[in-house]
């Protein structure tokens, strides 16, 4: 079972499906690159930070920090919550 309270840098790789019609998954083994992906998801959405935070059960500040790239080593559980808000298919290994 994946320990969800660790950062990506602790040998966890998050694989995110490229798009809804693709079979391929993008591996994010770098917390830095994953944080950019989280930032893009948040900024490209039409949702407010508050709405994302409520749906993900995160603080608005956490969402804001991800969107502004102040969080460069996001926790896996935080990324999973954000991915779920945007209905992204993923797995952690």
């Amino acid at each position: 079972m994946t320990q969800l309270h660790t950062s990506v840098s602790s040998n966890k790789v998050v694989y995110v499906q490229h798009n809804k019609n693709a079979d391929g998954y993008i591996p994010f083994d770098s917390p830095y690159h994953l944080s950019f992906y989280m930032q893009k998801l948040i900024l490209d959405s039409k949702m407010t930070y508050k709405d994302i935070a409520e749906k993900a059960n995160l603080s608005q500040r956490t969402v804001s920090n991800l969107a502004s790239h102040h969080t460069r080593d996001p926790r896996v559980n935080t990324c999973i919550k954000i991915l779920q808000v945007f209905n992204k298919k993923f797995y952690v290994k």
Side-chain angles (χ1 to χ4, degrees):
M1 180 166 194
T2 303
Q3 291 194 4
L4 299 179
H5 295 290
T6 59
S7 67
V8 177
S9 61
S10 61
N11 299 323
K12 301 291 181 201
V13 179
V14 178
Y15 295 83
V16 180
Q17 189 174 29
H18 180 62
N19 63 43
K20 288 184 179 180
N21 299 323
D23 291 330
Y25 284 75
I26 302 168
F28 290 98
D29 57 354
S30 159
Y32 187 72
H33 292 122
L34 183 60
S35 66
F36 270 113
Y37 184 74
M38 294 291 107
Q39 179 186 34
K40 180 170 175 36
L41 279 178
I42 293 166
L43 295 178
D44 287 353
S45 77
K46 304 288 185 202
M47 298 173 69
T48 65
Y49 296 167
K50 180 181 178 185
D51 289 341
I52 295 168
E54 287 175 359
K55 288 182 182 234
N57 198 26
L58 297 168
S59 72
Q60 188 172 338
R61 183 175 190 124
T62 296
V63 175
S64 174
N65 285 342
L66 281 167
S68 61
H69 202 63
H70 287 204
T71 303
R72 295 169 192 239
D73 188 7
R75 291 176 181 242
V76 173
N77 66 328
T78 301
C79 296
I80 287 171
K81 289 177 179 183
I82 297 289
L83 291 169
Q84 290 171 331
V85 167
F86 295 108
N87 297 316
K88 293 290 186 179
K89 290 186 179 181
F90 65 91
Y91 65 95
V92 180
K93 195 169 163 183

